[in-house]
Amino acid sequence: MKTIDDLQVAGQRVFVRADLNVPLDGETITDDGRIRAAVPTITKLLDRGAKVIVASHLGRPKGAPDPQYSLAPVARRLGELLGRQVAFVTDTVDDGARATVAALGDGEVALLENLRFNAGETSKDDAERSAFADRLAALADLYVGDGFGAVHRKHASVYDLPARLPHAAGDLIAAELTVLKKLTEDVKRPYAVVLGGAKVSDKLGVIDHLLEKADRILIGGGMAYTFLKAQGHEVGGSLLQEDQVPAVQDYLRRAKERGVEFVLPVDVTAAAEFPDLKTKAPANPRTVAADAIPADLQGLDIGPETRKLYASKLADAATVFWNGPMGVFEHPDYAEGTRAVAQALLDSAAFTVVGGGDSAAAVRILGFDENAFGHISTGGGASLEYLEGKTLPGLAALED
């Protein structure tokens, strides 16, 4: 796979597929981590005299313009971080895009509007997707794939466009791959994995694969209650995927056979109602045993004894991969489990990888120094699919 160091970019129109899919509260960016992660590659290309066309998706619009998903706030923040003007294009491949790109000078940058405002970006119809890729290709001379958070999607700008232009991987994707190889090839042990998040169904593939790789798997978040149910415990009103209980029971059995340690919560922080995440009003939490959650309560975080247990299980690890919060970290009453895991990673001498998505957001929201971790991924879903051993379309498209 070529990198941008292999490209002659001076005077060339370089299409950079970034991942600028940041959370917005109206027009306010609440976490700019993905924008900051895109800056080094863009800066390197600009400093080498390229005319840079940045493109990304944001959210899940329905294939047509939708103001709530506009990249206009991202363009402003990107300009601040780059320290130079970013020409924002209010369309993707029409007159505005063509005129703005034609006017770019060497070392200048433009950002196209949300790619998903065009149905061709995400279409499952090859012809429709290819037609959109053709129009994107007409804007550029070279292609740089740097949106790691989107490489598991077979989308026009990720999969089809690289075939139409000389292409290379950006520095962000190159860095992500270097890290992920440390989690799959010649792994330093003990290798501990922390998995959280809402649904166990989202993690089935990676759990299946990690049974062959990991020494220890710690489970938290909403998915923990399906594991507790699989052990025969009542979970009250906690999030539960009843249909996944047989699969989880099989994983627990296989883990025991292979000597992989599964670590589940011993206590949980619970409440009668889900907290108000907008007002952050006090939620009256209670700590209860994980095997005796009352019928009128729902688990919303791992409890204090579980936090200590998980910290002890991470203390001697040589490699740690963490994907998914331990609870409803957006509310202060249910953030302590996620905070404890993040702190345990910092206290460990292990090579630590925070696997993107909500885990990466939690690290920033809870005030941790990102640079203190071994690596914070920009792509939660992409990281998981890579660890499952899947072929990721956006990476395959960058191979020569």
Side-chain angles (χ1 to χ4, degrees), residues 283-298:
N284 302 314
R286 289 172 51 189
T287 299
V288 298
D291 59 359
I293 301 174
D296 61 341
L297 296 182
Q298 55 183 304

Side-chain angles (χ1 to χ4, degrees), residues 37-58:
V39 165
T41 289
I42 297 170
T43 298
K44 180 183 281 190
L45 292 168
L46 292 171
D47 288 347
R48 289 171 57 191
K51 304 169 183 179
V52 177
I53 306 141
V54 183
S56 177
H57 69 287
L58 191 152

Side-chain angles (χ1 to χ4, degrees), residues 264-316:
L264 302 180
V266 295
D267 63 347
V268 302
T269 303
E273 297 180 351
F274 196 85
D276 188 325
L277 300 183
K278 203 157 191 74
T279 66
K280 305 290 196 297
N284 302 314
R286 289 172 51 189
T287 299
V288 298
D291 59 359
I293 301 174
D296 61 341
L297 296 182
Q298 55 183 304
L300 296 167
D301 193 12
I302 57 174
E305 292 304 315
T306 303
R307 293 171 219 154
K308 294 176 189 175
L309 172 65
Y310 284 15
S312 72
K313 295 294 183 180
L314 296 172
D316 68 340

Side-chain angles (χ1 to χ4, degrees), residues 174-241:
E176 294 274 9
L177 290 177
T178 297
V179 167
L180 287 170
K181 286 177 180 177
K182 292 183 180 180
L183 299 177
T184 54
E185 303 170 12
D186 194 26
V187 181
K188 293 183 179 179
R189 300 185 179 278
Y191 177 19
V193 176
V194 186
L195 295 177
K199 296 180 179 180
V200 69
S201 56
D202 293 340
K203 305 288 197 301
L204 288 177
V206 76
I207 293 172
D208 188 71
H209 197 70
L210 287 169
L211 287 174
E212 308 287 337
K213 300 284 186 180
D215 300 302
R216 193 175 297 152
I217 302 176
L218 287 61
I219 302 293
M223 62 185 287
Y225 303 103
T226 302
F227 276 85
L228 291 168
K229 183 69 172 180
Q231 289 188 324
H233 305 310
E234 292 303 321
V235 297
S238 307
L239 183 64
L240 174 65
Q241 289 187 282

Side-chain angles (χ1 to χ4, degrees), residues 147-154 158 379-383 385 391-395:
F148 181 73
V151 293
H152 58 315
R153 306 295 187 193
K154 193 176 181 181
V158 176
S383 296
E385 291 198 16
T391 297
L392 305 188
L395 296 184

Side-chain angles (χ1 to χ4, degrees), residues 103-143:
L104 285 178
D106 295 354
E108 293 183 345
V109 56
L111 174 65
L112 303 180
E113 183 55 285
N114 193 335
L115 291 166
R116 291 184 182 177
F117 284 1
N118 189 305
E121 169 67 1
T122 60
S123 177
K124 295 190 184 326
D125 181 85
D126 290 349
E128 184 179 18
R129 216 175 51 247
S130 292
F132 183 51
D134 286 340
R135 298 181 72 189
L136 290 172
L139 298 173
D141 304 304
L142 303 170
Y143 175 92

Side-chain angles (χ1 to χ4, degrees), residues 381-400:
S383 296
L384 290 176
E385 291 198 16
Y386 187 95
L387 293 181
E388 287 179 44
K390 290 184 176 180
T391 297
L392 305 188
L395 296 184
L398 295 175
E399 296 290 350
D400 295 318

